[in-house]
Amino acid sequence: MRVSCIAFTERGYALAERTARALSDCAQTGEDDPGWGVSVSRGFGEGKVDLRAWTALAWEASDALLFVGAAGIAVRAIAPHVASKASDPAVVAIDEAGRFAVPLLSGHLGGANELAQTVARAAGAIPVITTATDVRGVWAVDTWARCAGLAVSNPEAIKRVSARLLSGGRVALYSDMPISGQPPEGVDIASDRARADIVVSPFAGANAGASVRAAETTGEVMPAGETGKPAGVAGGGGRAPAPAPEPLRLVVPCIVAGIGCRRGACAEAIEEAFLLACGQAGISPSAVREAATIDVKAHEEGLLAFCRARNISLATYSAEELSQVEGSVSPSDFVRATVGVDNVCERAALADGGKLIFPKLAHGGVTVAFSKVTIELSFKER
């Protein structure tokens, strides 16, 4: 976690430095988050940074902001930047005496509650947690999603799920992936996606991915361009029933995108082909965990820029490695003559051991195919 910290007094700055060292020690010993990176700035005296400029920069570059000083200073500083619980960084304030650590924003999805607890342990402070699920000991679905690495497609639905659990009700959860551990109190595992309150899946929308899931059952890969379509509304004289509330959609990063492209293909062309393939396959773009291609494309700037923009890694394989990948692919004599293997995108998608769920789509000099790997989730606390 990248934490930007600012203090407003000498005493607060000393506390900030001690806290930063303690967090770094946690990373070295593996006791907490293994990825701590903490920077400390002065909001006072010699070397003072402009608070407005510091906040704007930290907001874009950091996972969390830590203010050592009055909570009011933090509130006023971040106010112009607050947008959505799905994207806002965690914000925590700790007083200069190190007595109380207070999460102010993104307690669950951003990890501010957990950060406040970690900072409190490091500084010897008391974490002041105010979110209802935490103070009541009720399962927080957004905290679970963050810890499990799941993206939230519709964060507005979190409130409905939490409200039901807080009122003593129950929610049904459907998952395309296996989940180990005992379900939390109030959570039932559903076998019917259509009746679930929470859907854990790489597929977007109620019926999206229906053909892909059917293909997984039959073993037949659906042709590109053929996707599941929502069922139409039957005719009749009666008034249609009110639609059920949309379930909370948690996206599993279990898709590998195999990509081939002509030399010099720009990031925009790759993105366009990628989104077209996602739409036809019914896959949420945030479900893609990795792009894969042949090694001769490892330095294609357009492909690298696409991966940077999507914040995904790029795996590359030699022609020999791709030729040894098992599975049914669409061979091309032209591709074989050009790069030494009969297919790039499908073989690259399969190279990590997944199952091909969407075959080659060609668009604008770019080819895209998708495979799905199995990720086991867990209800167990970290």
Side-chain angles (χ1 to χ4, degrees):
M1 176 177 273
R2 299 163 300 173
V3 182
S4 293
C5 178
I6 188 168
F8 304 98
T9 64
E10 286 290 357
R11 186 179 183 185
Y13 189 78
L15 173 62
E17 288 196 311
R18 290 199 306 272
T19 302
R21 286 195 297 271
L23 293 177
S24 296
D25 289 343
C26 284
Q28 292 170 4
T29 60
E31 291 176 356
D32 272 291
D33 190 320
W36 291 107
V38 186
S39 63
V40 181
S41 300
R42 289 177 174 269
F44 68 99
E46 187 176 351
K48 174 182 178 180
V49 299
D50 178 78
L51 179 57
R52 226 183 278 185
W54 179 89
T55 305
L57 180 62
W59 196 268
E60 295 299 324
S62 307
D63 301 308
L65 281 67
L66 176 61
F67 291 80
V68 183
I73 296 176
V75 170
R76 292 180 186 278
I78 68 173
H81 305 283
V82 176
S84 166
K85 66 165 60 184
S87 58
D88 291 339
V91 179
V92 173
I94 182 170
D95 63 280
E96 69 161 31
R99 296 179 61 196
F100 303 103
V102 187
L104 300 175
L105 192 71
S106 294
H108 290 160
L109 279 182
N113 286 359
E114 186 176 347
L115 176 61
Q117 292 168 333
T118 303
V119 166
R121 287 195 298 271
I126 298 171
V128 182
I129 309 298
T130 60
T131 41
T133 50
D134 295 274
V135 300
R136 294 266 303 275
V138 171
W139 183 61
V141 63
D142 38 358
T143 295
W144 178 71
R146 180 179 60 81
C147 292
L150 308 177
V152 182
S153 287
N154 53 339
E156 66 279 0
I158 294 171
K159 182 177 180 180
R160 184 172 59 252
V161 170
S162 296
R164 187 179 300 178
L165 291 171
L166 285 165
S167 67
R170 306 189 68 82
V171 295
L173 182 150
Y174 170 87
S175 177
D176 281 332
M177 294 290 154
I179 307 179
S180 64
Q182 186 69 23
E185 180 63 33
V187 178
D188 300 314
I189 301 300
S191 58
D192 185 356
R193 177 189 178 101
R195 297 181 181 275
D197 303 294
I198 305 167
V199 173
V200 181
S201 172
F203 303 111
N207 293 293
S211 294
V212 172
R213 293 194 298 275
E216 289 187 275
T217 302
T218 63
E220 298 178 359
V221 180
M222 68 175 212
E226 296 183 15
T227 61
K229 297 180 180 180
V233 178
R239 177 177 296 177
E246 183 182 7
L248 173 62
R249 302 193 182 282
L250 306 181
V251 182
V252 189
C254 62
I255 303 297
V256 176
I259 299 177
C261 63
R262 64 167 59 124
R263 182 181 300 174
C266 64
E268 291 76 15
I270 297 172
E271 173 77 1
E272 184 175 307
F274 170 77
L275 291 178
L276 180 62
C278 285
Q280 291 195 14
I283 290 172
S284 171
S286 58
V288 175
R289 60 188 288 121
E290 180 181 75
T293 191
I294 192 167
D295 57 3
V296 297
K297 299 295 181 181
H299 302 294
E300 282 284 346
E301 184 50 44
L303 184 55
L304 294 174
F306 164 81
C307 291
R308 285 194 299 269
R310 285 276 163 196
N311 195 28
I312 57 177
S313 60
L314 177 65
T316 60
Y317 303 93
S318 67
E320 182 179 359
E321 288 173 318
L322 291 180
S323 68
Q324 294 173 359
V325 170
E326 296 182 356
S328 177
V329 299
S330 309
S332 165
D333 291 336
F334 172 78
V335 173
R336 182 186 288 109
T338 304
V339 296
V341 66
D342 62 357
N343 179 288
V344 170
C345 66
E346 292 173 343
R347 289 188 180 278
L350 288 167
D352 196 33
K355 183 173 184 179
L356 191 67
I357 60 171
F358 185 78
K360 179 175 71 176
L361 176 144
H363 179 78
V366 179
T367 58
V368 181
F370 294 129
S371 71
K372 182 161 78 73
V373 298
T374 298
I375 297 176
E376 184 170 322
L377 305 175
S378 176
F379 284 124
K380 297 176 182 176
E381 296 291 332
R382 292 192 301 173

